[in-house]
Amino acid sequence: MRGAVDHAGRAVLLVEAGDPLHGALRERRHDGADLAVDVELRALRHVGRTPTVRAHLWCRGWVSAVPGGERREAALTVAARHPDEGLLAAVEHHPTADAPLLVRVEPETVMYHTYDAAGVIDGAAFRAARPDPVTAAAEHILGHVNDRHRDELSAALRHLPDAPEGAAWLWELDARGATLWVNPADGGRPALIRVPWSATITAPCQLERALFDLMAYRPSPAGPV
C-alpha cells in the first residue's frame, strides 16, 4: 500500500476500497484503535543507479482512521511521496463507502535493521523521541552531493585513515557525522566509513560547512626531515 511517515513517526497509509483493512475499519462503530497491524518500511539509497536498502523497519501498532480534521495534513504527507488522485476522495469529511481511506498506525514496537546495527525500540520511547532538527536539510544535501560532487568525495578518501581508495557515495549525514559508502577500487566488498564531526551540529549551515571541510581537507605536507 502507498503511504508515508508523518511528523510524529506514525505510518500513514492510503487504503483502497476492497482491501480487508478498509472493510474492517468501515464495519466498526469506533475508529478501530484496538486493531493491531504490522507495517514494513524500507529506506533506500541509490549507489550509482542501483537502489540499495539503507534500513528495514518493522512497526507493530494500533491502526485507526485519520480523524476528519487531520485528513488534509495526512493526505499531504502521503502526496509528498506518492501523488494520487485517491487522496482527494479520502480527505472528504464524509467519504463514501467505496472511497479510499486514510489510516495511521500508532507504534507499539519498532524493530530496525541496518548494515551495521539492529534492535528493538519500545513504542513509548519511540513516540517520545523528536526528529533530529537537521534531518530534512541533511537529506537534501546528501542527494545534491551524490548527484554533483562525488569526485570530490571520492578524492577525500585518500586523506581518511584506514579508508580504501575507490568510489564513494554519502550514505548517512547527520548532526554527529557523515557515513560514506565506498566501493573499493580493488574490487573488494563495499565498506561503510564513519567520519565524526568535531562537535554536534545544530543548524543546516553548520552541516554544509562540515561537509565542505571534509571534501576539501588535505593534510599539511610533512616538513623537512
Side-chain angles (χ1 to χ4, degrees):
M1 296 141 220
R2 283 154 293 182
V5 177
D6 70 8
H7 66 282
R10 298 170 297 199
V12 181
L13 307 174
L14 180 64
V15 184
E16 300 288 350
D19 188 281
L21 181 57
H22 187 286
L25 289 171
R26 282 285 183 192
E27 290 171 4
R28 292 168 181 258
R29 295 176 178 269
H30 46 80
D31 63 4
D34 60 347
L35 186 62
V37 297
D38 291 336
V39 179
E40 180 183 355
L41 304 166
R42 289 189 303 165
L44 297 178
R45 288 273 186 257
H46 278 80
V47 177
R49 297 183 178 181
T50 305
T52 307
V53 177
R54 163 192 168 206
H56 267 109
L57 295 97
W58 295 268
C59 173
R60 172 166 294 177
W62 307 104
V63 64
S64 60
V66 177
E70 300 175 41
R71 286 185 198 136
R72 183 176 182 278
E73 182 180 357
L76 291 174
T77 297
V78 177
R81 295 285 184 181
H82 303 284
D84 190 297
E85 292 184 1
L87 290 166
L88 296 175
V91 171
E92 294 296 325
H93 188 65
H94 295 293
T96 60
D98 60 350
L101 190 63
L102 280 165
V103 306
R104 63 189 178 198
V105 180
E106 199 72 31
E108 187 66 23
T109 305
V110 177
M111 295 173 283
Y112 65 92
H113 186 276
T114 68
Y115 266 80
D116 54 357
V120 179
I121 304 172
D122 177 70
F126 182 85
R127 293 190 296 271
R130 293 293 175 265
D132 190 318
V134 300
T135 295
E139 290 296 305
H140 175 76
I141 294 169
L142 186 149
H144 174 75
V145 169
N146 283 343
D147 285 342
R148 304 289 181 86
H149 301 288
R150 283 199 42 255
D151 287 345
E152 297 96 312
L153 194 64
S154 297
L157 288 174
R158 294 194 291 269
H159 309 293
L160 297 178
D162 303 321
E165 288 194 27
W169 287 262
L170 270 178
W171 182 255
E172 281 296 347
L173 189 61
D174 55 61
R176 293 178 175 81
T179 302
L180 279 57
W181 172 291
V182 182
N183 283 343
D186 63 7
R189 292 173 60 94
L192 291 179
I193 307 298
R194 181 67 174 174
V195 182
W197 308 135
S198 58
T200 300
I201 283 171
T202 58
C205 60
Q206 296 173 339
L207 193 62
E208 291 178 354
R209 183 66 200 183
L211 189 57
F212 174 83
D213 289 345
L214 169 63
M215 292 192 295
Y217 174 73
R218 300 293 182 271
S220 299
V225 176

